[in-house]
Amino acid sequence: MSKFMNLARKFNCFYFNGDLQHCRPFLVCGKQVGVMQARVVEAACRYPDVFQMDSSGMISMHPSLTTYEERSARINHVLSQWKEERLFVTLKGWRNECYEVRTGFADPPLLKMDRSAACLFGVRQYGVEINGYTRHPQLGMSLWLQRRALSKPTWPGKWDNMVAGGLSVGHSVLDTALKEAEEEASIPAYLLANLRSAGSVSFYFESERGLFPNTEFVYDLELPPDFVPHNSDGEVDIFELVPVNQVMERIFTPEYKTTSCPTTLDFLIRHGFINSDNEPRLPELVELLHIPLHYLYSQSSSQSPISPK
Amino acid sequence: MSKFMNLARKFNCFYFNGDLQHCRPFLVCGKQVGVMQARVVEAACRYPDVFQMDSSGMISMHPSLTTYEERSARINHVLSQWKEERLFVTLKGWRNECYEVRTGFADPPLLKMDRSAACLFGVRQYGVEINGYTRHPQLGMSLWLQRRALSKPTWPGKWDNMVAGGLSVGHSVLDTALKEAEEEASIPAYLLANLRSAGSVSFYFESERGLFPNTEFVYDLELPPDFVPHNSDGEVDIFELVPVNQVMERIFTPEYKTTSCPTTLDFLIRHGFINSDNEPRLPELVELLHIPLHYLYSQSSSQSPISPK
């Protein structure tokens, strides 16, 4: 097994090793939007007017909650109680920033919940990441990496892509990219004109905090060799310009944010630095950067893909 | 459903609508390498010294065939008989060019079979495709498309990416790309120096010929605006330089080779022409260009991904 493939299994640890047998499908309006681990199911069953378990073991938002507003308010109430009770470690990182819950990215939102709670329900999370790169006269092709501030609630002090941000309620994909580029790295507008959409990555990670079926919208931004990003919102410790061959070493260290590796690997593959010569399992690696998150929750699609089992 | 998503369901028709219930796993050396449709199982059962069906309905190459050479020779004998009997339409296109059968792309080959027969056993097929593009002063970003010769055994007369070729026994990925670029489009060596590896696409198509779990290694080649490809092996009717916005119309026509669309769509996404603004379901589309072909055949991996069902 190559180092790249090992890494892909690490950020897809729930896809490969997830204990799905002890998880329950989570449904809203009859459509599956996530899965809940046993410890979350147990807590949810204390609120029979918010969560309903049917005879087959599926957990639904109570059908009497018929609007986006009602569902969002009731789940926020439950989450606030869990936060006070210190029931789940992830809620210590309460964000006061909400994520939408939807059956697919382009479907209407069914409810919103605090970003820190999404991993308790295994609902898909979306973010934006920008690969900032430069063709440096001495270093060659290089990527700008950020070290996350020690004050961040998740992955403090870890190396990360130049710009990254979650897609929260009320912001479009491109708006989020532009906003984060300005706040995190102070990229001026005339340079952001070069921002290029380059697709997305999808992976399924699990940590002690919960389940992360994550999709990152990926952008590339070529920067002039003399430009140096600097942080303006306190979320970044330092930026460092790292030649691509050093990036290809650093992503294997525990100092690199595991869930940022898919975007970095995708950049290295799209730009030819990882190829069939240095990674014989290239097709398998590429597939693991784009796993079918939108087809894993079968209750949410009328036509299910064939089963891998 | 957007036009792009409809197209992705078309070239993934077996992934979404495949009648897997009536297929049998196909194993070599105890590892699953494909699936066989009922009509193929029936024909295979006439050769009990080559194919063995176990009590659970799985078909294996007979365990007495212990080497690559033995297995390849015996399956070639069977296929030659089927070809003479005109049992399967795909064997009319016999290629005298063999594909390797492996559990994963980097695993040792277990046997080889004529390219035209791979779809009878649902074994993964690999190819190479080159997006030839130019930043034209008048037309803007444009792709070179080829119209396949009417004499080709598959997809005659259809529009296709500039260069495409199957990965046959004894050729590496890069060698195949360079060889096909020279034979199909007469690209001179000094221009091929710009060839860039850009990843791969994976999809699962089905036609009247059989099953196509295909992976294409994708390359981009930027060409100067004054260069015009010309064919030297008789496999191409004409080449045409098509502006990207016209390519984005042509791929929906029946005149475009369905199984070449993933590579074209991947190019349009990586270069920002299809993005979250004009395709709200971008993440779902990207996932469908990279479905987990190497994880669908569970008998071939010790750790199976979680089931989508």
Side-chain angles (χ1 to χ4, degrees):
Chain A
M1 185 77 61
S2 78
K3 288 169 88 175
F4 296 127
M5 285 295 289
N6 266 332
L7 191 57
R9 285 186 170 250
K10 199 169 147 193
F11 56 68
N12 274 313
C13 57
F14 190 75
Y15 186 61
F16 282 103
N17 306 318
D19 184 9
L20 208 65
Q21 276 194 313
H22 292 94
C23 289
R24 302 285 187 181
F26 174 51
L27 284 74
V28 181
C29 298
K31 306 262 178 120
Q32 187 179 0
V33 295
V35 292
M36 290 159 76
Q37 292 170 307
R39 60 195 179 113
V40 188
V41 172
E42 196 181 326
C45 285
R46 288 161 43 204
Y47 301 87
D49 52 342
V50 183
F51 300 103
Q52 205 177 40
M53 191 191 283
D54 73 8
S55 56
S56 67
M58 297 196 290
I59 317 285
S60 296
M61 281 292 282
H62 201 287
S64 68
L65 306 169
T66 54
T67 67
Y68 173 88
E69 288 72 21
E70 280 178 301
R71 288 186 289 262
S72 304
R74 293 302 289 277
I75 214 159
N76 186 58
H77 178 73
V78 171
L79 293 173
S80 304
Q81 289 203 348
W82 289 353
K83 179 171 173 285
E84 274 182 37
E85 295 170 19
R86 300 182 184 203
L87 209 50
F88 299 109
V89 64
T90 185
L91 299 181
K92 273 170 50 180
W94 192 270
R95 301 286 194 112
N96 289 314
E97 176 191 339
C98 279
Y99 275 2
E100 306 276 26
V101 176
R102 299 181 267 213
T103 53
F105 184 70
D107 296 315
L110 300 167
L111 64 106
K112 64 178 179 179
M113 62 171 69
D114 192 80
R115 179 173 169 172
S116 63
C119 60
L120 297 177
F121 298 90
V123 298
R124 282 184 294 267
Q125 306 192 22
Y126 298 88
V128 169
E129 302 205 353
I130 302 177
N131 299 298
Y133 69 97
T134 193
R135 300 172 205 266
H136 194 276
Q138 280 81 48
L139 303 174
M141 180 70 138
S142 303
L143 277 168
W144 279 104
L145 300 182
Q146 63 154 282
R147 194 166 61 201
R148 298 162 66 87
L150 288 169
S151 56
K152 292 210 84 162
T154 58
W155 307 93
K158 300 290 184 188
W159 289 105
D160 199 346
N161 298 307
M162 183 180 74
V163 171
L167 208 68
S168 50
V169 172
H171 296 275
S172 79
V173 178
L174 184 59
D175 282 353
T176 303
L178 296 171
K179 181 175 72 79
E180 295 285 345
E182 204 198 320
E183 290 174 6
E184 275 193 6
S186 311
I187 316 274
Y190 78 96
L191 289 178
L192 280 177
N194 295 325
L195 194 69
R196 293 283 174 272
S197 169
S200 59
V201 291
S202 293
F203 54 98
Y204 208 146
F205 180 69
E206 178 180 16
S207 78
E208 72 290 350
R209 289 189 291 127
L211 308 179
F212 298 85
N214 281 20
T215 293
E216 304 293 339
F217 289 87
V218 176
Y219 288 84
D220 285 356
L221 176 60
E222 181 161 6
L223 294 163
D226 59 352
F227 175 78
V228 176
H230 65 273
N231 180 244
S232 47
D233 65 0
E235 299 207 345
V236 179
D237 177 4
I238 54 163
F239 285 100
E240 185 183 337
L241 185 64
V242 185
V244 155
N245 57 345
Q246 287 179 36
V247 173
M248 284 167 75
E249 293 302 320
R250 197 175 294 190
I251 51 174
F252 300 118
T253 68
E255 301 314 308
Y256 207 94
K257 180 174 178 273
T258 308
T259 52
S260 294
C261 292
T263 295
T264 315
L265 288 174
D266 180 62
F267 179 89
L268 296 170
I269 291 168
R270 285 186 292 102
H271 291 265
F273 296 101
I274 301 175
N275 52 56
S276 58
D277 285 329
N278 58 13
E279 176 46 70
R281 294 193 186 274
L282 185 69
E284 291 160 73
L285 181 64
V286 173
E287 290 169 15
L288 293 182
L289 298 178
H290 305 93
I291 67 158
L293 285 188
H294 292 82
Y295 304 91
L296 287 178
Y297 298 151
S298 62
Q299 321 284 340
S300 64
S301 69
S302 54
Q303 288 180 305
S304 293
I306 54 177
S307 163
K309 283 208 172 150
Chain B
M1 185 76 61
S2 77
K3 287 169 88 174
F4 296 129
M5 285 295 288
N6 266 333
L7 191 56
R9 286 187 169 248
K10 199 169 147 194
F11 55 69
N12 274 312
C13 57
F14 190 75
Y15 186 61
F16 282 102
N17 306 317
D19 183 9
L20 208 64
Q21 277 196 312
H22 292 95
C23 289
R24 303 285 187 180
F26 173 52
L27 283 74
V28 181
C29 298
K31 306 262 178 118
Q32 187 179 359
V33 294
V35 292
M36 290 159 76
Q37 293 170 307
R39 61 196 179 113
V40 188
V41 171
E42 194 182 325
C45 286
R46 287 161 43 202
Y47 301 87
D49 52 342
V50 183
F51 299 103
Q52 205 176 40
M53 190 191 284
D54 74 7
S55 56
S56 67
M58 297 197 289
I59 317 285
S60 296
M61 281 291 284
H62 200 286
S64 69
L65 305 170
T66 54
T67 67
Y68 173 88
E69 287 74 19
E70 278 179 301
R71 289 186 287 263
S72 303
R74 293 302 289 277
I75 214 158
N76 186 58
H77 178 73
V78 171
L79 293 172
S80 304
Q81 289 202 348
W82 289 353
K83 179 172 174 283
E84 272 182 39
E85 294 170 22
R86 300 182 183 202
L87 209 50
F88 300 109
V89 65
T90 184
L91 299 181
K92 273 172 48 181
W94 192 270
R95 301 285 194 114
N96 288 316
E97 176 192 339
C98 278
Y99 275 3
E100 306 276 26
V101 176
R102 299 180 268 213
T103 53
F105 184 71
D107 296 315
L110 300 168
L111 64 105
K112 64 178 179 179
M113 62 171 70
D114 192 79
R115 179 174 170 171
S116 62
C119 61
L120 297 177
F121 298 90
V123 298
R124 283 184 294 268
Q125 307 192 22
Y126 298 89
V128 169
E129 302 205 355
I130 303 177
N131 299 297
Y133 68 98
T134 194
R135 299 172 206 267
H136 194 275
Q138 280 81 48
L139 303 175
M141 182 70 139
S142 303
L143 278 167
W144 280 104
L145 301 182
Q146 62 154 281
R147 195 166 60 201
R148 297 162 66 87
L150 288 169
S151 57
K152 291 208 85 161
T154 59
W155 307 93
K158 300 289 183 189
W159 288 105
D160 199 345
N161 298 308
M162 183 181 73
V163 170
L167 208 69
S168 52
V169 171
H171 296 276
S172 79
V173 177
L174 184 59
D175 282 353
T176 302
L178 296 171
K179 181 176 72 80
E180 295 285 345
E182 204 199 320
E183 290 174 6
E184 275 192 8
S186 311
I187 316 275
Y190 79 95
L191 289 178
L192 280 176
N194 295 325
L195 194 69
R196 293 284 174 272
S197 169
S200 58
V201 291
S202 294
F203 54 98
Y204 208 147
F205 180 68
E206 178 180 17
S207 77
E208 73 289 349
R209 289 190 291 127
L211 308 178
F212 298 87
N214 282 20
T215 293
E216 303 294 338
F217 289 88
V218 175
Y219 288 84
D220 284 356
L221 177 60
E222 180 160 7
L223 294 164
D226 58 352
F227 175 78
V228 177
H230 66 272
N231 180 244
S232 46
D233 66 359
E235 297 206 347
V236 179
D237 177 4
I238 54 163
F239 285 100
E240 185 183 336
L241 185 64
V242 185
V244 156
N245 57 346
Q246 288 179 35
V247 173
M248 284 166 77
E249 292 301 320
R250 198 175 293 191
I251 52 174
F252 300 117
T253 68
E255 301 314 308
Y256 207 93
K257 178 174 179 272
T258 307
T259 52
S260 293
C261 291
T263 295
T264 314
L265 288 174
D266 180 63
F267 178 90
L268 296 169
I269 291 168
R270 285 186 292 103
H271 291 264
F273 296 101
I274 301 175
N275 52 56
S276 57
D277 284 330
N278 58 13
E279 176 47 70
R281 295 194 185 273
L282 185 69
E284 292 160 72
L285 181 63
V286 173
E287 291 170 14
L288 293 183
L289 297 179
H290 306 93
I291 67 158
L293 284 188
H294 292 81
Y295 304 91
L296 286 179
Y297 299 151
S298 62
Q299 320 284 341
S300 64
S301 69
S302 53
Q303 288 181 305
S304 292
I306 54 178
S307 163
K309 284 206 174 157

